[in-house]
């Protein structure tokens, strides 16, 4: 096989792997959300046909889960790799920190590489919101799936703070799938 063809195959496999992981995680997410809704008699409402492919740049929320007392408005936010860190800045921007490892003399060092800060879109958590839900408690959830290694908040001054799933950032509850499933189980 000629060398350029081998290189093209390797690059294509790399990009396909990232997208296959993304699709696999999202299908698993959809199955788990529907299963908990079915087992707990919650109502699941999608806002568009390809809701499970919802991206971080679209402004509509992707689905709603209606419990007896709450309505979870869910916006999907996918991370490219597990080994990244999602950092929210105080001015409403976010960036993704990845790491590069350099191995020398039998030890490894990790160096952070920050992406360019991007403004966090203003998400519409009331897109296709129903009138009968007005009496229930709304919860605005940014579901990070596939998830990153950790979430951090970067204040205007001072060092970064590690935040956990369930913390509020920019008026949204940041959740991973296990945390959201736990909240739904306890919402009875």
């Amino acid at each position: 096989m000629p060398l350029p063809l081998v290189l093209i195959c390797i690059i294509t496999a790399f990009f396909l792997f990232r997208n296959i992981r993304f699709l696999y995680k999202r299908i698993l997410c959809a199955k788990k959300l529907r299963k908990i809704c079915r087992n707990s008699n919650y109502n699941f409402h999608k806002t568009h046909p390809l809701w499970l492919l919802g991206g971080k740049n679209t402004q509509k929320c992707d689905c709603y889960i209606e419990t007896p007392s709450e309505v979870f408005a869910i916006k999907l936010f996918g991370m490219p790799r597990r080994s990244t860190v999602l950092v929210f800045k105080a001015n409403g921007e976010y960036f993704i920190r990845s790491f590069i490892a350099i191995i020398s003399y039998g030890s490894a060092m990790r160096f952070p590489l920050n992406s360019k800060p991007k403004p966090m879109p203003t998400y519409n958590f009331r897109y296709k919101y129903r009138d009968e839900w007005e009496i229930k408690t709304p919860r605005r959830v940014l579901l990070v799936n596939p998830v990153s290694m950790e979430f951090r908040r970067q204040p205007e001054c001072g060092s970064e703070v590690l935040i956990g799933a369930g913390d509020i950032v920019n008026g949204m509850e940041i959740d991973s799938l296990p945390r959201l499933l736990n909240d739904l189980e306890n919402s009875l």
Side-chain angles (χ1 to χ4, degrees):
M1 221 184 228
L3 185 63
L5 186 58
V6 170
L7 289 175
I8 290 172
C9 289
I10 290 171
I11 292 169
T12 304
F14 174 74
F15 286 111
L16 281 177
F17 176 74
R18 268 183 50 184
N19 292 330
I20 288 172
R21 175 187 175 267
F22 176 84
L23 191 59
Y24 174 75
K25 292 289 187 179
R26 286 290 176 92
I27 289 172
L28 249 146
C29 175
K31 284 177 128 179
K32 288 181 180 182
L33 287 176
R34 288 185 184 256
K35 181 179 178 184
I36 199 162
C37 288
R38 186 175 51 251
N39 292 343
S40 302
N41 289 326
Y42 296 157
N43 294 323
F44 183 84
H45 307 277
K46 50 189 177 181
T47 60
H48 50 92
L50 297 174
W51 70 272
L52 74 121
L53 298 178
K56 59 184 108 178
N57 297 324
T58 58
Q59 295 183 343
K60 303 181 257 185
C61 77
D62 295 309
C63 64
Y64 294 101
I65 295 178
E66 179 187 4
T67 70
S69 61
E70 296 175 315
V71 175
F72 291 79
I74 299 171
K75 175 64 188 148
L76 293 167
F77 191 97
M79 293 298 291
R81 289 181 304 280
R82 171 85 174 134
S83 61
T84 57
V85 176
L86 178 58
V87 182
F88 297 99
K89 296 176 73 172
N91 63 359
E93 294 180 333
Y94 73 95
F95 64 88
I96 298 171
R97 178 176 295 142
S98 55
F99 297 92
I100 186 166
I102 297 177
I103 300 172
S104 68
Y105 299 112
S107 65
M109 296 177 62
R110 288 181 6 161
F111 292 101
L113 296 173
N114 294 339
S115 70
K116 181 180 171 187
K118 298 177 186 171
M120 184 66 118
T122 305
Y123 295 124
N124 182 3
F125 286 99
R126 296 192 55 86
Y127 178 71
K128 293 191 177 179
Y129 202 80
R130 297 186 179 174
D131 291 335
E132 60 264 20
W133 296 342
E134 294 296 335
I135 60 172
K136 297 183 180 189
T137 306
R139 290 188 58 182
R140 301 164 46 142
V141 176
L142 186 68
L143 179 59
V144 182
N145 184 275
V147 73
S148 62
M149 184 170 51
E150 59 187 33
F151 312 129
R152 291 184 171 268
R153 180 180 300 155
Q154 187 180 56
E156 287 292 333
C157 56
S159 61
E160 290 181 358
V161 178
L162 183 66
I163 59 175
D167 286 347
I168 306 293
V169 174
N170 297 336
M172 300 174 288
E173 183 178 331
I174 308 298
D175 273 344
S176 61
L177 182 60
R179 168 64 190 232
L180 179 62
L181 294 175
N182 188 32
D183 283 353
L184 288 168
E185 283 178 3
N186 296 330
S187 187
L188 294 172

